[in-house]
Amino acid sequence: MRAARLIRMVLLLQSRPSMTAGELARELEVSERTVARDVLSLSEAGVPVYADRGRAGGYRLIGGYRTRLTGLARGEAEALFLSGVPSALREMGLADAASAARLKVSAALLPELRDAASGAAQRFHLDAPRWYHAPETPELLPVIADAVWDDRRLTVRYLRADRAVVRELEPYGLVLKAGVWYLAARAASERRDEPAPSAAGSGAAPGGDVSGDGHRTGFRVYRVDRFTAAAPLLPTEPSAPVAGGRGGAAVRSAAGAGRFVRDPEFDLPAFWAERAAQFERSLLREEAVVRLTPRGVRQLPYVTEPAAAREAVEHAMAGGGPDERGRLTVTLAVESEEVAYAQLLGLGPEGEVLAPSGLRERFATAARSAAALYSPAEEPAPEG
């Protein structure tokens, strides 16, 4: 346990110019006194850890010290090779770089660990696209991925539902969700609107792209397959043709600084989780009132949107709880009456729709039809 912690401390110090005792303690989940003892142990073992005194001080490695990867355990080596998503790397144009990196890591491993790559690949496989949807790589994904890696502004044309917009973006990160690529970016400007061609892409994106005039400083989410043109802003060229060009003449990028300074507070996983949750909630625009048996309460998250089901049950429990027969009446957020009908049918007799009236009537009709289907067949009257 302590040996693993010491190795991790060396790797942390190797990856940063310096770290305070508090920072190391938080990363290693130990006390600052333990950090001081571990630093002393590393120094005694010949690792050149230097302590800078004072309020702005901390710990750092001196002399360009670098540790080697031969200390990796089998589980760590397999996790390293498993961490890549081959299909995503291929779509972003990074397959060759990833292959070279794996070869370099393999060469640094002990001989008995060099089968970690094939061992992990033969045991675990990630297939990102949904069923019955052939994966399609967006034409401009490699261009956008390069800009994300390089922190370089892009001039893009993006298809919205009603028109095409031309903007300058600061591309912060790419997300692959159920086989669909999304770009998290900050819009620097909206320069021109054009009528969207009839072949505009379909499907919503979490958060989506918003319209408006003037400069935009907030982060947005864009579906990569809706970009019809994209070009990096290069400081050495006053203008450059935008890659792509579907749906209109090529756009030319304006002169600019090229690269942008990333917001250090931006956290891509946290941003995506929040925006995806907002998107899911935005779909639930209507309500249905349902009276549930105890079993129906347990089944509700499995037939409807889980977060909406939990919220409805919690609100109902706080507002009075079950009636004398143990039934709980909840007000459930739903996407539409049609969707609610399809979902709540899964409750069977464990749920009774009370409102809206149109939805209740549909369930009453369905119940009568089901009763007719399952009623005993009438026996023919005896002759004579």
Side-chain angles (χ1 to χ4, degrees):
M1 180 71 178
R2 185 169 185 243
R5 188 175 71 241
L6 291 174
I7 292 173
R8 190 178 176 203
M9 177 181 286
V10 173
L11 293 174
L12 285 169
L13 292 173
Q14 185 174 294
S15 64
R16 306 179 191 182
S18 68
M19 295 184 70
T20 66
E23 291 171 338
L24 284 168
R26 285 192 295 273
E27 289 283 349
L28 301 172
E29 299 181 350
V30 296
S31 67
E32 293 188 21
R33 293 185 63 182
T34 299
V35 168
R37 288 196 295 268
D38 287 351
V39 167
L40 181 60
S41 298
L42 288 173
S43 297
E44 292 174 349
V47 178
V49 182
Y50 182 79
D52 292 313
R53 305 296 180 183
R55 295 183 60 184
Y59 297 103
R60 59 186 174 88
L61 295 173
I62 60 175
Y65 180 85
R66 308 291 293 179
T67 187
R68 300 182 64 191
L69 288 174
T70 49
L72 284 174
R74 171 170 293 276
E76 293 170 336
E78 290 179 344
L80 175 64
F81 285 105
L82 183 63
S83 62
V85 183
S87 60
L89 292 171
R90 184 171 56 253
E91 291 179 3
M92 289 189 293
L94 300 174
D96 291 342
S99 177
R102 286 192 291 269
L103 288 173
K104 290 178 181 179
V105 174
S106 293
L109 291 173
L110 294 172
E112 60 268 25
L113 299 180
R114 289 176 185 168
D115 66 341
S118 59
Q122 293 304 318
R123 287 168 175 81
F124 302 97
H125 177 66
L126 174 63
D127 186 8
R130 297 176 295 168
W131 287 106
Y132 311 115
H133 287 77
E136 295 183 4
T137 303
E139 178 185 348
L140 298 173
L141 179 61
V143 175
I144 294 170
D146 285 345
V148 170
W149 278 114
D150 205 26
D151 292 338
R152 188 173 294 280
R153 291 187 179 91
L154 286 170
T155 300
V156 301
R157 181 191 292 111
Y158 184 76
L159 292 180
R160 299 189 62 208
D162 55 344
R163 66 186 185 279
V165 295
V166 176
R167 293 186 174 174
E168 290 181 10
L169 298 180
E170 296 176 353
Y172 269 70
L174 286 162
V175 176
L176 178 60
K177 170 73 170 179
V180 179
W181 284 95
Y182 298 92
L183 173 69
R186 186 154 55 184
S189 67
E190 179 176 338
R191 296 169 53 194
R192 182 169 73 250
D193 287 358
E194 302 172 1
S198 57
S202 60
D209 172 46
V210 298
S211 61
D213 299 321
H215 294 281
R216 294 299 186 181
T217 58
F219 291 97
R220 312 282 186 237
V221 175
Y222 303 84
R223 277 188 61 145
V224 175
D225 59 6
R226 290 189 180 179
F227 287 111
T228 61
L233 283 144
L234 303 177
T236 57
E237 299 179 10
S239 63
V242 176
R246 291 176 291 146
V251 179
R252 302 188 70 81
S253 65
R259 288 188 174 89
F260 63 93
V261 179
R262 292 180 67 89
D263 182 349
E265 300 298 321
F266 180 78
D267 184 329
L268 179 60
F271 168 79
W272 177 259
E274 179 182 0
R275 191 55 61 92
Q278 291 175 356
F279 174 68
E280 290 177 347
R281 289 195 297 270
S282 71
L283 295 177
L284 307 178
R285 299 184 178 91
E286 300 185 21
E287 292 182 342
V289 181
V290 187
R291 186 155 51 209
L292 302 167
T293 66
R295 185 176 181 181
V297 171
R298 295 192 297 270
Q299 289 180 342
L300 190 63
Y302 297 99
V303 299
T304 63
E305 204 282 315
R310 288 192 297 270
E311 183 177 336
V313 170
E314 291 171 0
H315 184 76
M317 293 297 292
D323 60 18
E324 64 279 359
R325 297 175 57 185
R327 300 176 301 178
L328 184 68
T329 300
V330 302
T331 301
L332 178 69
V334 296
E335 184 174 343
S336 65
E337 185 173 308
E338 189 69 30
V339 172
Y341 175 73
Q343 292 176 334
L344 296 175
L345 274 176
L347 292 174
E350 309 303 329
E352 177 190 359
V353 174
L354 304 178
S357 58
L359 183 59
R360 179 177 174 84
E361 181 57 33
R362 292 186 69 175
F363 272 89
T365 300
R368 289 192 294 268
S369 299
L373 285 174
Y374 291 98
S375 60
E378 295 184 3
E379 297 182 1
E383 297 181 0

